[in-house]
Amino acid sequence: MDSPTPRPSVFSQFRECVSKEILAGILSHRYTLVLILTVVAALSVTVVRTHVYRNQVRQYHEGSQAWRRTMGSVSFAWQSTGLGLSFEKAPEPLAIFAFGLENELTRSVNFCEYYPDRAGLRKLGATSFRYFSQIDITGVIFFGYSLLALMLVFDAVSAGRERGTIRILLAGPIRRTTVILSKIFAGLVTLAIPLCLAWGLSIGYAMAVSGHVFTGGELARLGCMVAVSLVYVGAIFALGLAASCRANSSNSSLMLVLFGWLLLVLFLPAGAKAICDIVYPIPSFASVEEDTQATQAAVFDDRLTTQIADEILREQPDVSPERMQELIQKRIADRARNAERDRENKMRSNVALFGKLLRVSPAWSYLSVSTSLAGTGAADYLKFLDDVRLFRSEFEAASEEQKRVADASIHHPHAFYGEGTPFSPDRWPSFRYARAPVTRLVDAVSVDCAWIVGAMFLFLLIAVVGFVRAEV
Amino acid sequence: MLRIEKVCKVYANGVRAVKDLDLTVSPGEVYVLLGANGAGKTTTLMMCLGFLNPTSGRILINDIDVRKDPIAAKLHVAYVSENVQLEPNFTAIQNLEFFARVGGRPDVTRKEISDALLRVGLPGDTHNRRCGGFSKGMRQRLGIAIAVIRGTDLVLLDEPTSGLDPRGGQEFISLLKVLRGEGKAILMTTHDVFRAKELADHLGIMVSGELAVSRTRGELLNEDIENLYLEHVETSVGGKAA
Amino acid sequence: MFRANHVISIASREVARSVRDTRFLGAFTACLILGVGSVFVNAHSYAQKQREYARSTSSYARTIADKARLVGHFHNSPKSVARKPVATQFIALAGEADPDPRAVAKVEYSSWFHGELRKNPLPGLFFPVDLTFVLGLVMALFAFALTYDTLSGEVQRDVLRLMLAGPVSRGSILAGKWLGAVLSLLIPYTVTGAATAAVLYDYAQAAPISTEDVLATAAFFGTGLLYLCTVTSLALMVSVLFRSAGAAMVCLVLVWLVGFVALPYSAISVAHVFVNPPGAASFEHRLGSTGYTSMNSIAEDNLRRAEKRLGEPIPAAIMDLEYAFDEDLVGVDPKLREMIEAIHDEEWRTATGVAESMRAACSERSSQESLVENVAAWLRRISPYGCFLNASVTLANTGFDRELQLREMTQRYLAECVALCRKIGGMNRYIDSKLFPSPALFEVSAATRLARCVPDITGILVMGLLAFLIAYRTFVRREIM
């Protein structure tokens, strides 16, 4: 017999298999189609988003200028609330890449009675077209690329098995683990290429055309968004590979993959919403309104007024009668808002639970991470509402102060209309809103990221075990 | 050299695919395994390649137990399946290069690959053509070329001539004779009784998982293989007794 | 070209084959669960909205009765136009996705702050799950998954060669395969339809459905059937065009992603870019300042105008009387009374003017938004799902145009209220709530809805026929190797 042939090095076999897989993957027609489509979709969507961003910036400037002009002629703070207050929150440039809830965040929030409810005017109706008219590159990756990637991967192993190619390979002195690991590595690399291209072109376009100079922090966030999208695609790839390894045929693999995708991307949010509505049912607007009005009507109820008056006297025994009247009114108004506040708290719990339930799907975790990084996520929205509330109370306090000052100098209440102390803009409180700082962001985002990575490893484990144990 | 020692294979559902199989293939020898569909020929091959584990018994390739050290054992084995399907978007050379490299020849050169392809009868103009467009005959030759380029001692073939035209089949058999001449041990399963007669140094007929008949070339000279085959196959299928 | 008995036998074979496939089971389960689930959830939500609607209209009537001194505090009291919830929202949620069952123009003193968390914004990030979504998108995807290898792929091509070896024409084979695929898909479709009917019947007490709505639902299912046929033709066409089954499936997924999801849902965005209506923010400010500047001028200018009308000066102290709580003017000096009424008259004139100009501004904006929606609707017609979406939203009567009409109607209602108050005269009279105009809430007959769907249904038909034609020509001319 000849001298024993040296065993082939595992690393060189791995390297060979990886380069073969990558080459075979790239040479297929499917891949070319997916590459072109992804890049075109991502770029065109970014073009649209950049254009929309520029429009929003223009409108924002127009709007705030118009507001300042009109506010210049306001004689009293409380009259200004008749007009509507605009906030100083400019459109978010990172929303070009992950639009999220930006619609809810950018627009001015108005304290106004004189024009129709914002619900109809703000967006193009409360129609079902709202989100998908706001598609961005995150949406393309989350929805489109994930499905396309699955179409590339679903028969990675099953096709080879059906055709007998795998048998020929495994007949040689190569371990199964080497084969499957090389497939994993090659698959991840192959899928990363269109993604990186798409991101590169999109970021380049946005930087060139949006008219916004991206700061270091924003670029870092963008980098993280790219990284997370790579991990997400990795998880999707792992799902496809697992299906391919476990299924008996390419057809069943396809069904598994479609089911999995539909479940993770489409079905889960519907289920999550139903669960949230059961756990935290939201009182309806009608019931809130009824309660509010009932409380307000209690103004005419002497018993209630006396009760409140007693309370106030106990707290401030030396209060003046005019001040007492004021305080009574205030407290009643406050109570009237209880129903609203209660509803809002329930709504917040509902939103929080909903966000947590959605995490079950790595797809939605990805969306959540992306939007959080862009500053347009659910947490940012809730924070925004908190800041608006704070601003409102500050504004009301300042205008109360103004009224008091004005009152002191006026004998006749209706002289308000004619003359009065102007509530000059430099006395208005400013709206303070900033994106969550990176440290807090990391906390918020790490759980979601961990879940996506976890999902990826879980599916990869299923794939590897399935492949190694199968009888070819 | 291949030694199959008292190998049995019983599947999980209780079906006995192979019963007490004893078989040896020496270097420079062609062992042809005949048998009806479902007789256990392919199962035997799969066990030799380590795809299935024998329920009892052992298989030794160059004295290496396939079960204990599959990688070392498979260094010495090349396999040609019934329908060779390689990467369709790669050329013949690229495909061969890959299988050679992972099969224990990381230092193979393009010239060696071309030579191997020529040896198996694939002309020069096909070497850089994508395998997706190859005919069945060309693909089978490609399968054998893998065995040639890897230079293994043992070659296992699973019905390699099925679907080949008479000329293609004949050329394939000539190729195997050349390999035999180089000292390789060859185990081939087939239905093709005529080719078997021409090629076999050793002939076995498997019936319901057992080796019903075993003859050497010398013994075969005086026997009619066709009748032998039909006799045993018919018995097993429950037809007329011999 | 087609022989009926061949077509039927091939079709029945296809059905038998499909039903035994694991893919069929998957498709069936998914569509049934999701379809029935969505109907159930939407019916439940409709029942809730219906309760809220009844409650809010009665509470509104009560409020009006209470605050009958409406006129004096007109701008402070609630003016609600209760939006009657739509029974057929389980077909297409569209405009009904907003959980507030009441209307667009609701102006309240008590809730100035419109920026609170009125609804969970996150569900806006994904598709609302209604029947259109299930039958239009999910079922289409499964239909593709079931039929992509009808005429491509190794196994089917072998079978095809066998069939073509016999006295069967290619047209019959194609027609048979098409019919078989449609019939297979009809099974989950019909079962989902029956389950839907069962759920709705169950909810009929709490969530009443009129005859018109039932007819509209039937029309929806009919359109869905047509859509299913078109989807099958499309799948067949792709299957014919591709030799390898894998490539066919990838192509179909691309078609689904681009043609069925991306195009219809981005139509509104594209339309917006084309039509480019002026921004909402500046419009809102304009509207607000109209209201504000007008109201701001009330005191001064009204006083001046009243003086001019009367021909004599009015002391500013008069204003006190107007806002005193107990305002029964009987017994007040007639001269004083005349002055007060003159001021009131001017105030009402201004209020009417304000209501009118706001209505005009809203109307103008609505017409722009309406244009955007029209353009979007036409853009959607490029895709079969877009046509189906248009049709189902029209049949469900939950479309965006309804929203616009509602806004228009609300503004008109405001103006009518103002006019009524003025007619009744004086800010300090009590107004019987029955005198208030009730907003005409639109009911659209099923026939009208169907008529409006004609372009979309035609679109679906045309695309289906086109796809089948392409498949036929390719198949007949192809050399099967």
Side-chain angles (χ1 to χ4, degrees):
Chain A
M1 213 163 51
D2 306 338
S3 56
T5 324
R7 281 171 189 250
S9 117
V10 174
F11 179 69
S12 71
Q13 281 181 325
F14 177 75
R15 205 183 49 210
E16 275 307 312
C17 286
V18 164
S19 37
K20 174 221 171 213
E21 289 289 331
I22 292 179
L23 210 59
I26 292 178
L27 287 175
S28 69
H29 295 298
R30 274 195 264 178
Y31 184 80
T32 322
L33 254 174
V34 167
L35 175 75
I36 294 174
L37 196 72
T38 310
V39 170
V40 165
L43 192 59
S44 47
V45 136
T46 310
V47 165
V48 169
R49 283 260 73 75
T50 314
H51 173 83
V52 166
Y53 169 74
R54 286 168 67 111
N55 267 352
Q56 278 179 335
V57 169
R58 182 177 47 85
Q59 286 172 21
Y60 165 72
H61 286 305
E62 266 173 25
S64 62
Q65 274 172 21
W67 178 51
R68 282 188 180 277
R69 263 200 312 271
T70 335
M71 286 302 257
S73 61
V74 165
S75 44
F76 265 102
W78 69 266
Q79 284 181 340
S80 73
T81 58
L83 180 63
L85 288 165
S86 231
F87 294 142
E88 304 296 313
K89 189 192 166 303
E92 169 65 65
L94 287 177
I96 293 175
F97 304 102
F99 199 73
L101 297 174
E102 177 68 355
N103 248 353
E104 313 282 335
L105 289 169
T106 315
R107 310 300 181 90
S108 59
V109 181
N110 297 282
F111 305 166
C112 182
E113 0 174 331
Y114 288 124
Y115 54 79
D117 194 273
R118 60 182 282 280
L121 223 52
R122 271 318 158 75
K123 38 197 189 269
L124 295 176
T127 64
S128 59
F129 314 134
R130 195 162 71 94
Y131 177 63
F132 282 86
S133 71
Q134 312 291 8
I135 198 149
D136 45 36
I137 188 174
T138 304
V140 166
I141 296 170
F142 156 80
F143 193 85
Y145 192 61
S146 61
L147 189 57
L148 291 175
L150 285 173
M151 287 303 108
L152 288 177
V153 170
F154 82 98
D155 61 356
V157 167
S158 49
R161 206 185 279 149
E162 282 172 349
R163 282 165 48 215
T165 326
I166 295 228
R167 211 178 257 192
I168 297 182
L169 181 60
L170 288 176
I174 187 168
R175 286 183 184 78
R176 286 188 183 220
T177 30
T178 315
V179 173
I180 190 71
L181 285 176
S182 65
K183 275 197 188 283
I184 290 171
F185 189 80
L188 289 171
V189 169
T190 320
L191 285 178
I193 297 172
L195 207 61
C196 292
L197 252 176
W199 270 115
L201 289 171
S202 300
I203 294 177
Y205 182 84
M207 285 178 73
V209 175
S210 67
H212 172 83
V213 177
F214 285 87
T215 65
E218 284 169 350
L219 286 174
R221 281 164 184 259
L222 264 179
C224 291
M225 280 165 80
V226 175
V228 172
S229 69
L230 285 169
V231 177
Y232 168 61
V233 169
I236 293 291
F237 163 77
L239 171 69
L241 194 68
S244 193
C245 289
R246 300 299 260 184
N248 293 330
S249 68
S250 287
N251 272 351
S252 8
S253 172
L254 177 66
M255 282 316 271
L256 262 176
V257 143
L258 274 181
F259 243 92
W261 182 84
L262 281 170
L263 185 75
L264 291 181
V265 174
L266 289 181
F267 297 177
L268 214 80
K273 182 164 190 304
I275 295 175
C276 286
D277 288 340
I278 294 171
V279 174
Y280 290 115
I282 311 294
S284 67
F285 288 114
S287 66
V288 166
E289 192 167 289
E290 264 183 24
D291 292 341
T292 313
Q293 283 169 10
T295 319
Q296 282 175 336
V299 152
F300 300 104
D301 183 344
D302 292 327
R303 275 172 301 158
L304 180 65
T305 327
T306 324
Q307 192 187 3
I308 296 177
D310 287 339
E311 265 174 35
I312 297 172
L313 274 172
R314 254 177 284 146
E315 290 162 24
Q316 303 172 39
D318 52 343
V319 66
S320 69
E322 301 86 35
R323 185 87 185 114
M324 168 71 96
Q325 252 327 91
E326 250 180 56
L327 283 171
I328 292 175
Q329 300 273 25
K330 232 176 157 254
R331 291 213 179 179
I332 290 178
D334 218 36
R335 278 189 200 209
R337 296 226 277 262
N338 272 347
E340 252 176 54
R341 268 195 228 111
D342 173 62
R343 184 179 184 279
E344 172 142 358
N345 288 335
K346 290 214 172 81
M347 185 56 96
R348 278 171 186 253
S349 315
N350 190 303
V351 171
L353 180 63
F354 188 70
K356 290 203 181 88
L357 282 179
L358 280 185
R359 275 198 189 133
V360 172
S361 155
W364 284 90
S365 292
Y366 165 63
L367 204 64
S368 159
V369 170
S370 249
T371 47
S372 297
L373 283 167
T376 57
D380 298 291
Y381 180 57
L382 290 175
K383 178 174 180 298
F384 174 73
L385 290 181
D386 285 337
D387 290 342
V388 168
R389 224 190 232 165
L390 184 65
F391 176 64
R392 178 191 185 182
S393 60
E394 284 178 354
F395 198 94
E396 280 177 358
S399 73
E400 285 296 305
E401 189 52 45
Q402 271 306 107
K403 260 182 74 186
R404 229 192 311 279
V405 165
D407 269 349
S409 60
I410 285 170
H411 307 290
H412 196 292
H414 296 297
F416 269 27
Y417 290 117
E419 346 167 321
T421 325
F423 188 32
S424 65
D426 54 308
R427 296 228 194 101
W428 303 338
S430 55
F431 177 63
R432 287 177 294 275
Y433 175 80
R435 274 191 232 117
V438 180
T439 43
R440 217 186 308 163
L441 196 64
V442 166
D443 279 335
V445 151
S446 52
V447 176
D448 286 319
C449 283
W451 171 234
I452 304 174
V453 171
M456 178 169 85
F457 278 111
L458 181 70
F459 290 133
L460 284 179
L461 193 69
I462 295 174
V464 170
V465 168
F467 185 77
V468 166
R469 294 232 180 122
E471 288 186 344
V472 171
Chain B
M1 160 129 133
L2 173 70
R3 269 212 311 270
I4 300 176
E5 295 174 356
K6 283 208 170 322
V7 160
C8 286
K9 176 66 181 170
V10 181
Y11 283 116
N13 55 7
V15 168
R16 242 179 206 279
V18 175
K19 299 171 210 180
D20 283 329
L21 186 64
D22 266 302
L23 200 151
T24 306
V25 186
S26 311
E29 192 179 79
V30 176
Y31 195 113
V32 177
L33 207 50
L34 284 175
N37 293 326
K41 311 189 299 294
T42 307
T43 312
T44 311
L45 277 185
M46 295 294 109
M47 287 194 286
C48 294
L49 290 166
F51 294 150
L52 294 172
N53 284 323
T55 318
S56 64
R58 61 177 189 167
I59 299 177
L60 299 167
I61 295 177
N62 284 9
D63 296 323
I64 306 169
D65 190 330
V66 172
R67 198 170 192 166
K68 293 207 177 107
D69 198 351
I71 302 295
K74 288 197 279 194
L75 265 173
H76 304 285
V77 175
Y79 169 64
V80 181
S81 65
E82 182 174 352
N83 195 5
V84 176
Q85 295 269 30
L86 303 182
E87 197 63 51
N89 283 331
F90 281 14
T91 62
I93 288 190
Q94 283 172 327
N95 265 311
L96 230 61
E97 196 172 28
F98 169 70
F99 281 103
R101 289 225 172 105
V102 295
R105 291 211 52 198
D107 51 350
V108 72
T109 61
R110 285 270 159 124
K111 175 122 191 355
E112 284 172 313
I113 294 174
S114 285
D115 288 340
L117 288 169
L118 288 168
R119 267 192 78 186
V120 301
L122 284 169
D125 58 340
T126 57
H127 295 190
N128 285 308
R129 231 202 291 166
R130 289 195 179 189
C131 296
F134 277 17
S135 69
K136 164 111 192 195
M138 291 163 83
R139 284 189 276 118
Q140 296 309 99
R141 286 173 208 261
L142 211 48
I144 267 280
I146 294 177
V148 167
I149 195 75
R150 281 185 58 202
T152 53
D153 301 324
L154 177 64
V155 184
L156 301 177
L157 303 112
D158 195 357
E159 309 203 24
T161 56
S162 83
L164 287 181
D165 61 71
R167 189 186 177 81
Q170 194 57 37
E171 286 173 358
F172 196 85
I173 296 300
S174 315
L175 204 49
L176 290 179
K177 285 180 181 166
V178 169
L179 292 179
R180 176 179 58 188
E182 288 174 4
K184 296 198 195 296
I186 299 175
L187 173 61
M188 183 172 105
T189 68
T190 187
H191 288 304
D192 194 339
V193 178
F194 298 107
R195 299 262 152 69
K197 197 158 130 180
E198 200 188 319
L199 185 60
D201 295 312
H202 230 107
L203 182 84
I205 301 182
M206 276 189 88
V207 176
S208 301
E210 284 182 53
L211 201 60
V213 171
S214 185
R215 299 275 190 277
T216 61
R217 176 167 277 278
E219 289 160 351
L220 284 173
L221 285 174
N222 302 327
E223 287 202 50
D224 190 346
I225 295 183
E226 292 94 326
N227 282 338
L228 202 59
Y229 179 78
L230 288 169
E231 187 181 324
H232 282 88
V233 168
E234 255 192 46
T235 320
S236 76
V237 174
K240 317 193 274 279
Chain C
M1 199 167 67
F2 306 112
R3 274 191 64 179
N5 53 343
H6 285 160
V7 172
I8 292 172
S9 57
I10 293 173
S12 41
R13 192 190 144 273
E14 283 296 308
V15 174
R17 185 176 71 86
S18 279
V19 168
R20 285 186 182 81
D21 200 328
T22 28
R23 293 180 278 171
F24 180 80
L25 190 65
F28 185 91
T29 325
C31 290
L32 188 64
I33 293 178
L34 207 60
V36 175
S38 77
V39 173
F40 181 78
V41 167
N42 287 328
H44 182 77
S45 143
Y46 168 61
Q48 235 177 348
K49 287 183 191 172
Q50 186 69 7
R51 273 196 301 272
E52 291 311 320
Y53 168 69
R55 198 172 163 185
S56 73
T57 34
S58 66
S59 94
Y60 175 57
R62 272 201 307 276
T63 323
I64 296 295
D66 281 347
K67 291 218 173 137
R69 222 168 327 176
L70 198 60
V71 172
H73 303 280
F74 185 65
H75 59 277
N76 294 341
S77 54
K79 289 173 281 297
S80 212
V81 175
R83 179 168 79 187
K84 196 170 172 201
V86 176
T88 40
Q89 60 185 270
F90 65 90
I91 291 177
L93 266 177
E96 287 291 309
D98 190 331
D100 189 346
R102 290 155 328 151
V104 171
K106 184 177 69 61
V107 176
E108 274 186 3
Y109 190 77
S110 63
S111 112
W112 284 14
F113 176 41
H114 297 292
E116 69 220 1
L117 190 52
R118 295 185 80 72
K119 65 176 174 36
N120 187 347
L122 287 177
L125 294 181
F126 56 88
F127 295 103
V129 181
D130 47 30
L131 266 187
T132 310
F133 172 77
V134 175
L135 295 179
L137 278 184
V138 176
M139 190 156 223
L141 191 61
F142 279 113
F144 287 161
L146 277 170
T147 47
Y148 76 98
D149 62 352
T150 330
L151 287 165
S152 56
E154 305 271 328
V155 175
Q156 287 308 309
R157 288 162 68 74
D158 279 339
V159 173
L160 199 62
R161 272 175 233 140
L162 278 172
M163 275 200 273
L164 285 171
V168 186
S169 73
R170 292 194 178 204
S172 303
I173 294 178
L174 199 69
K177 289 214 175 244
W178 178 85
L179 190 62
V182 169
L183 288 173
S184 321
L185 289 170
L186 214 58
I187 300 173
Y189 189 75
T190 328
V191 173
T192 310
T196 306
V199 172
L200 292 173
Y201 184 75
D202 211 27
Y203 265 90
Q205 280 281 48
I209 299 180
S210 67
T211 331
E212 294 296 322
D213 290 331
V214 170
L215 288 173
T217 311
F220 166 74
F221 277 105
T223 315
L225 186 59
L226 253 165
Y227 172 75
L228 213 64
C229 295
T230 302
V231 162
T232 315
S233 305
L234 199 61
L236 205 71
M237 181 186 88
V238 171
S239 190
V240 167
L241 290 172
F242 284 87
R243 176 168 298 179
S244 116
M249 186 61 210
V250 173
C251 179
L252 280 170
V253 165
L254 286 178
V255 164
W256 186 84
L257 269 177
V258 176
F260 283 54
V261 175
L263 271 173
Y265 284 96
S266 61
I268 197 96
S269 192
V270 175
H272 216 192
V273 166
F274 276 130
V275 174
N276 204 10
S282 47
F283 170 70
E284 282 174 6
H285 281 295
R286 202 179 102 215
L287 203 60
S289 61
T290 312
Y292 171 72
T293 31
S294 322
M295 296 313 279
N296 204 21
S297 68
I298 285 175
E300 277 297 316
D301 299 351
N302 286 340
L303 201 61
R304 302 292 157 246
R305 279 199 293 268
E307 280 178 344
K308 204 185 280 181
R309 198 179 289 278
L310 279 182
E312 57 187 297
I314 298 178
I318 284 284
M319 305 297 241
D320 276 347
L321 282 176
E322 186 190 4
Y323 288 97
F325 255 90
D326 193 346
E327 291 168 28
D328 191 350
L329 291 176
V330 172
V332 167
D333 177 51
K335 187 68 186 172
L336 219 51
R337 193 156 143 193
E338 205 188 335
M339 287 179 177
I340 290 175
E341 285 184 357
I343 295 175
H344 286 172
D345 212 31
E346 288 310 315
E347 284 178 356
W348 273 114
R349 236 183 264 277
T350 319
T352 320
V354 168
E356 223 0 87
S357 65
M358 279 166 57
R359 197 192 70 74
C362 283
S363 190
E364 188 195 311
R365 180 153 179 88
S366 292
S367 67
Q368 285 165 340
E369 291 185 337
S370 178
L371 180 63
V372 170
E373 180 58 26
N374 278 333
V375 171
W378 275 102
L379 283 175
R380 260 177 251 133
R381 286 187 182 121
I382 300 173
S383 141
Y385 177 67
C387 290
F388 183 58
L389 188 60
N390 280 346
S392 37
V393 167
T394 313
L395 286 170
N397 201 24
T398 51
F400 177 65
D401 57 338
R402 192 170 179 277
E403 180 89 14
L404 289 174
Q405 280 178 50
L406 188 65
R407 246 191 260 162
E408 179 80 5
M409 188 194 80
T410 314
Q411 290 301 327
R412 217 179 307 130
Y413 176 68
L414 278 177
E416 278 178 25
C417 288
V418 171
L420 172 72
C421 291
R422 192 170 167 206
K423 200 174 88 173
I424 285 174
M427 297 218 164
N428 300 317
R429 302 287 174 83
Y430 284 84
I431 298 170
D432 186 353
S433 60
K434 292 196 208 63
L435 287 176
F436 265 95
S438 63
L441 297 162
F442 18 54
E443 294 294 337
V444 182
S445 74
T448 321
R449 296 187 215 180
L450 200 57
R452 287 195 199 141
C453 289
V454 164
D456 300 303
I457 295 178
T458 319
I460 297 176
L461 256 171
V462 164
M463 280 185 251
L465 282 171
L466 199 66
F468 191 82
L469 211 70
I470 295 174
Y472 179 77
R473 286 195 62 155
T474 317
F475 189 57
V476 160
R477 290 183 182 187
R478 161 100 75 70
E479 294 166 350
I480 310 278
M481 289 195 301

